[in-house]
């Protein structure tokens, strides 16, 4: 399994409508993909859950801008 680069992820929907995230496409949204990060990403996932709604939206907007 190859970890997909986040670069260009904001274009995923327009390039491939209905695309899922993670290696098997099971995450329908970026938020699902973040929450389903595990292993070494556990701390990042945990921190995401403690962000305010505003901070989460800022992070999602950043990902969409890549
Ligand atoms: C706030 C921090 C993070 C965000 C926003 C984030 C976001 C994402 C997203 C959106 C994906 C799906 C990419 C795609 O399908 O094209 C992904 C996958 C992945 N991330 Fe993260 N991630 C974070 C932190 C981390 C960290 C710290 C690690 C490891 C040290 C990590 C390891 C991975 C791996 C291995 C995958 C692929 C998993 C799979 O396909 O099942 N992530 N991440």
């Amino acid at each position: 399994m190859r970890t997909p680069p986040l670069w260009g992820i904001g274009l995923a929907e327009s390039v491939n409508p209905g695309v899922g995230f993670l290696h098997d496409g099971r995450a329908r949204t970026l938020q699902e993909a973040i929450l389903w990060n595990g292993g070494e990403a556990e701390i990042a996932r945990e921190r995401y859950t403690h962000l305010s709604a505003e901070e989460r939206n800022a992070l999602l907007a950043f990902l969409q801008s890549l």
Side-chain angles (χ1 to χ4, degrees):
M1 178 184 102
R2 173 179 170 269
T3 303
L6 295 180
W7 189 245
I9 204 163
L11 296 172
E13 261 294 303
S14 55
V15 171
N16 188 3
V19 69
F21 302 109
L22 300 180
H23 66 279
D24 53 4
R26 70 187 189 282
R28 281 156 300 167
T29 62
L30 288 174
Q31 168 142 293
E32 278 187 355
I34 293 168
L35 294 174
W36 293 344
N37 261 242
E40 286 179 72
E42 191 63 43
I43 294 171
R45 191 196 68 81
E46 189 62 25
R47 286 190 182 143
Y48 179 80
T49 65
H50 289 104
L51 295 179
S52 67
E54 197 180 329
E55 289 167 328
R56 280 185 208 189
N57 286 337
L59 179 62
L60 293 173
F62 168 70
L63 290 173
Q64 292 287 0
S65 78
L66 293 177

